[in-house]
Amino acid sequence: MEQERKRAIVVGGGITGLAAAYRLKREAEERGISLDISLLEASDRVGGVIQTEHRDGFIIEHGPDAFISTKPWAKALCEELGIDDKLIGTNPKVRRSFVIRKGKLVPVPEGFYMMAPGAFVPFLKSPIFSLVGKLRIALDLFISRRSDIDDESVADFVRRRLGTEAFERMAQPMIGGIYTSDAENLSLKSTFPRFLEMEQEHGSIIKALLAQKRKASQTSRDTSGPRYSLFLSFTGGMQTLVDALAENLSECIRLGCSVATIQKIENEEGWRVCLDNDEVLETDLLCIALPAPQTSKILSKVSPFLSEKLSDIPYTSSATVNIAFRREDVPHPLNGMGFVVPIKEQLNLIGCSFSSVKFENRAPSNHALLRAFVSESATNVKGAANNNTEFNDITSSALIDVSNLLGITKPPLFLVVSQHTQSMAQYQVGHEKLVGEIDELANGLPGLTLAGNAYHGIGIPDCINSGEQAAISLLNNINI
């Protein structure tokens, strides 16, 4: 007897949705399940915030420029897709970054990791902290661990263990560069659980980092703070991953399909997906891989309580400005990966990557490519849009700050703005509890899963894992 064909729909064509659809396809093939898959994407392209532009010999990233390899899911997917030979690491000749202090670029002390030193001599020599600030940081060696492990904000944790200077001059700009978020509200347990583990296991962040350094020195020469060698990209840019997935899913992808709402099919298993153009699709399996606010909207009639919980996850916007120069017009030696900017410096910038230094072949010979990250307040301006190269408020403020900090007086060859509205989920204090409630409510909806950066991690590997686990969960519960 021929097996009944099943239908699966993935809503959202970002990296999470692509990973979910790909895993549905491959896993169904391995299990011998006849499955028709549709990937619905509202825009005219897949990939979400991941987008690479090639222009005049420059490789311009509109979204993330790398992923971290310590979380295995992205690298494993690259190997499965056969594109791992296109992976590249960061420039091995440059293994440091800078933080802005009183308008100057100051090197982050060797061995300093996010908020605390893993080596004493570079830390003691650094002008980033005052003598009082250094002594306060060193008190971490003697402060008792918390007896309870209730969630607290990253800011409270850093100040409690290492003091105000450690937070304001180092932790806040480092964390802001990752999450574009206010660390005063950011959940330690959901964003940097490793530091919580360090406190519980070693009773001190510094002791934990020193122990980690000793262990790493036995197996690797790369023991410097941020572990730059763990970041990977592609020779042709991050679009390589999106293109490989899209090629594998070419028969599944439907662009320009915006979902208005979904409905449970009464007295039957399955879901009805209603598009904005009044088209209605029916499916046995449904994965929603959208930002939480959009997911909340389309689930409002199916589960008002789940919809309400999803709406409690806040998001922020982000903007980057890629700036191309002739190398001779940039006086700074660009002898690092880039810099981050503390809020205390009162600039519009969150930070800046030296893209043409960080990864090879990002710019033509004798040229430089810089990528400035702009604060959310600067992104809320009229007229700012993707690929806008005009000198609007975002570009002009970014150019002024970067030029002042790097001593640049000549105009750039070109600028490219990329704005992503409400794209970054914010894991505020209590996030873990909130997501637990969301997971429980979603589990009560058979044949439906949620995936994306709203739940268990914002990085590319996290999103890939989220999509893949959502796909596997759907297939594990399918009735054949």
Side-chain angles (χ1 to χ4, degrees), residues 305-367:
F305 195 33
L306 174 56
S307 174
E308 182 181 346
K309 292 291 182 183
L310 287 163
S311 68
D312 288 339
I313 299 177
Y315 274 68
T316 59
S317 302
S318 64
T320 60
V321 184
N322 282 274
I323 314 174
F325 289 98
R326 295 180 182 87
R327 184 63 187 88
E328 63 187 24
D329 293 338
V330 183
H332 193 275
L334 301 181
N335 52 345
M337 297 289 180
F339 61 81
V340 293
V341 184
I343 290 177
K344 287 279 187 179
E345 294 292 317
Q346 296 185 327
L347 299 178
N348 288 316
L349 288 184
I350 296 173
C352 178
S353 287
F354 303 157
S355 299
S356 52
V357 174
K358 187 175 180 181
F359 291 107
E360 294 182 350
N361 302 316
R362 263 31 185 184
S365 178
N366 300 319
H367 289 74

Side-chain angles (χ1 to χ4, degrees), residues 415-436:
L415 302 94
V416 179
V417 160
S418 307
Q419 187 174 14
H420 304 291
T421 304
Q422 297 294 293
S423 61
M424 182 73 76
Q426 301 297 290
Y427 292 8
Q428 296 190 345
V429 174
H431 179 80
E432 189 178 72
K433 180 177 181 293
L434 175 60
V435 170

Side-chain angles (χ1 to χ4, degrees), residues 215-261:
K215 182 178 179 181
S217 64
Q218 298 171 3
T219 57
S220 171
R221 293 182 181 180
D222 183 20
T223 59
S224 60
R227 304 292 299 281
Y228 297 105
S229 62
L230 300 180
F231 292 94
L232 298 175
S233 187
F234 299 89
T235 53
M238 291 300 296
Q239 185 78 32
T240 303
L241 177 56
V242 171
D243 289 346
L245 286 166
E247 183 179 355
N248 273 271
L249 297 166
S250 58
E251 74 282 2
C252 305
I253 295 172
R254 291 186 57 184
L255 301 176
C257 291
S258 179
V259 175
T261 187

Side-chain angles (χ1 to χ4, degrees), residues 127 144 162 192 307 319 352 359 361 395 472:
S144 300
L162 300 150
F192 298 102
S307 174
C352 178
F359 291 107
N361 302 316
T395 54
I472 291 171

